[in-house]
């Protein structure tokens, strides 16, 4: 599936707004949020609807959480939807049935819970028709990428490059698994009117390339507020993140989107230090050996001081550390 995301449903479903928010935590698990805002007419032919999210590299043991409870807090709603929340009401007798969230300057919205199932790299979200609603309908989930990142990572000697190449509903790259699911379940790719994408990145990252035609802003992350909104992401509390906001809209009948961003992180890691130490020892060893006066009547290897052999052994060990992944050495 590479770097392409797909949203499918049983009918020709229109998604008014599709939200993506990535949380890149170096050397930790990363997270990605998906939010779907769609009209109530989506339920006109059924009391339930299923959205299928085909996400790159998602695994059956990854944690996927419905964020209804997180959004039900007025303070959290204010940060996520960028408007003052004037009230939140239950849809039914049980708060788990969903919420109606009311804003000061925008239309009200109905927050829906979802049943989540992961199979063969596809996340299925099953939603029930609400007993009552106001405004558009909305569902949001959080996916945890266990001990791995979301971006394409390219490691260098002095820096690491993070490539965010997000393609949404691009048909020319339709993988076989999504093609088979689409045909077997009689699904259709959803039409997305507007796409909103946010990348939360450590503030020591440098933005090397951004599509300025889609960039809205870059700002400091309100860490305390977002820690309250997403307590699942412990790393937010470090207060060292910037957030970049990208936005795009559908052109005519085009179903697909493409967002490309490149960030770099200056790094001097253990392998860089090992390379410098190894190069220094090797150069010193070559100069030292060239100054030795060897006796032809005795084997040359017997005349090399043991300290030289020890230095050579250290260089070989460092070379193995640089060339062979640590996981292979442990096997």
């Amino acid at each position: 599936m590479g770097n392409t995301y797909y949203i499918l449903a049983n009918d020709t479903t229109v998604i008014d707004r599709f939200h993506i928010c990535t949380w890149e935590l170096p050397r930790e698990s990363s997270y990605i949020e998906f939010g779907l805002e769609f009209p109530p007419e989506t339920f006109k032919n059924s009391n339930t609807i299923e959205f299928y999210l085909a996400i790159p590299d998602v695994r059956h043991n990854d944690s996927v959480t419905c964020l209804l409870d997180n959004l039900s807090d007025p303070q959290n709603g204010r940060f996520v939807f960028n408007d003052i929340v004037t009230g939140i009401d239950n849809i039914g007798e049980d708060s788990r049935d969903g919420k109606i969230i009311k804003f000061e300057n925008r239309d009200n919205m109905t927050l829906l819970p979802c049943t989540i199932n992961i199979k063969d790299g596809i996340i299925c979200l099953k939603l029930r028709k609400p007993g009552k609603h106001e405004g558009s309908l909305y569902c949001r989930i959080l996916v945890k990428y266990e001990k791995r990142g979301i971006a394409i990572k390219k490691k260098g000697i002095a820096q690491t490059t993070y490539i965010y190449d997000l393609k949404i509903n691009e048909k020319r790259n339709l993988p076989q698994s999504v093609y088979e699911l689409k045909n077997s379940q009689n699904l259709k790719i959803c039409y997305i009117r507007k796409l909103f994408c946010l990348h939360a990145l450590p503030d020591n990252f440098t933005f090397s390339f951004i599509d300025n035609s889609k960039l809205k802003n870059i700002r400091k992350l309100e860490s305390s507020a977002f820690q309250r909104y997403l307590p699942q992401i412990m790393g937010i509390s470090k207060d060292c993140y910037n957030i970049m906001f990208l936005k795009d809209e559908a052109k005519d009948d085009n179903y697909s989107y493409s967002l490309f961003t490149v960030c770099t992180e200056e790094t001097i890691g253990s392998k860089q230090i090992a390379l410098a130490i190894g190069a220094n020892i090797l150069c010193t060893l070559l100069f030292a050996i060239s100054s030795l006066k060897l006796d032809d009547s005795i084997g040359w290897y017997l005349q090399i001081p043991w300290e030289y052999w020890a230095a050579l052994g250290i260089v070989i060990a460092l070379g193995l550390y640089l060339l062979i992944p640590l996981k292979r050495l442990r096997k």
Side-chain angles (χ1 to χ4, degrees):
M1 199 179 302
N3 55 349
T4 306
Y5 299 73
Y6 296 91
I7 307 95
L8 305 98
N10 295 106
D11 296 318
T12 305
T13 302
V14 174
I15 298 177
D16 292 326
R17 293 181 178 86
F18 185 60
H19 295 144
I20 299 177
C21 183
T22 68
W23 298 87
E24 193 73 57
L25 284 73
R27 293 167 290 278
E28 297 181 32
S29 298
S30 295
Y31 298 79
I32 183 168
E33 296 177 73
F34 294 98
L36 295 84
E37 183 178 343
F38 53 96
E41 292 76 19
T42 305
F43 285 101
K44 64 181 178 180
N45 297 323
S46 175
N47 289 326
T48 62
I49 187 171
E50 292 181 339
F51 287 103
Y52 294 84
L53 301 182
I55 302 172
D57 198 33
V58 69
R59 303 170 187 174
H60 70 279
N61 60 340
D62 286 335
S63 171
V64 183
T65 307
C66 177
L67 296 177
L68 172 64
D69 291 339
N70 303 60
L71 295 172
S72 298
D73 183 283
Q75 295 187 44
N76 296 340
R78 177 167 61 90
F79 277 96
V80 172
F81 299 111
N82 195 31
D83 198 354
I84 295 174
V85 176
T86 59
I88 296 180
D89 300 326
N90 292 340
I91 290 178
E93 296 180 357
D94 195 316
S95 61
R96 293 171 292 185
D97 293 335
K99 302 277 189 176
I100 294 176
I101 183 169
K102 301 176 181 179
F103 300 99
E104 185 176 80
N105 298 309
R106 59 176 291 174
D107 294 337
N108 297 341
M109 183 184 296
T110 302
L111 307 177
L112 297 180
C114 62
T115 302
I116 300 169
N117 182 42
I118 304 176
K119 184 178 180 181
D120 299 330
I122 308 292
I123 299 176
C124 178
L125 307 178
K126 185 174 183 179
L127 297 91
R128 298 194 310 271
K129 183 177 181 179
K132 64 177 181 178
H133 69 271
E134 292 185 21
S136 56
L137 309 180
Y138 190 82
C139 176
R140 194 176 182 101
I141 63 171
L142 175 69
V143 182
K144 179 181 181 181
Y145 277 62
E146 192 68 45
K147 300 299 181 183
R148 61 193 192 279
I150 298 167
I152 301 171
K153 187 185 295 187
K154 302 291 184 181
K155 290 187 177 180
I157 294 178
Q159 69 179 16
T160 300
T161 302
Y162 294 83
I163 302 172
Y164 291 90
D165 185 13
L166 276 62
K167 301 182 187 301
I168 315 297
N169 288 347
E170 193 167 85
K171 293 183 178 180
R172 66 177 181 177
N173 291 327
L174 192 70
Q176 185 66 24
S177 59
V178 179
Y179 172 79
E180 293 175 355
L181 174 70
K182 180 175 178 291
N183 288 340
S184 63
Q185 300 291 333
N186 193 26
L187 302 176
K188 297 182 180 179
I189 296 177
C190 298
Y191 178 70
I192 301 173
R193 295 187 188 278
K194 294 182 180 181
L195 175 67
F196 299 82
C197 179
L198 295 96
H199 295 302
L201 302 164
D203 54 14
N204 64 327
F205 280 29
T206 301
F207 296 101
S208 303
F209 176 82
I210 305 173
D211 187 345
N212 289 324
S213 65
K214 300 169 185 176
L215 177 65
K216 298 298 292 182
N217 59 58
I218 299 174
R219 57 183 173 80
K220 181 72 175 178
L221 180 73
E222 301 94 333
S223 299
S224 58
F226 277 92
Q227 181 63 59
R228 177 187 175 94
Y229 163 54
L230 288 176
Q232 297 94 328
I233 308 179
M234 299 300 296
I236 300 178
S237 61
K238 296 178 182 178
D239 192 26
C240 60
Y241 290 89
N242 291 325
I243 192 161
M244 178 179 59
F245 179 23
L246 303 170
K247 179 182 177 181
D248 200 3
E249 297 186 19
K251 308 296 189 300
D252 299 325
D253 293 329
N254 183 23
Y255 282 71
S256 64
Y257 292 86
S258 179
L259 300 174
F260 188 84
T261 304
V262 179
C263 303
T264 57
E265 177 190 20
E266 299 294 331
T267 55
I268 300 296
S270 58
K271 288 197 172 185
Q272 287 74 31
I273 296 174
L275 178 63
I277 293 174
N280 184 48
I281 293 175
L282 182 60
C283 292
T284 304
L285 189 60
L286 291 174
F287 280 116
I289 291 177
S290 65
S291 64
L292 284 177
K293 295 181 180 180
L294 302 179
D295 188 344
D296 295 338
S297 62
I298 304 174
W300 65 268
Y301 53 88
L302 297 175
Q303 301 178 61
I304 303 297
W306 69 268
E307 293 90 349
Y308 289 24
W309 291 113
L312 181 61
I314 293 173
V315 171
I316 294 174
L318 290 173
L320 292 174
Y321 171 70
L322 291 171
L323 297 176
I324 302 177
L326 189 59
K327 291 181 179 179
R328 289 177 56 185
L329 291 175
R330 288 175 177 173
K331 292 182 178 179

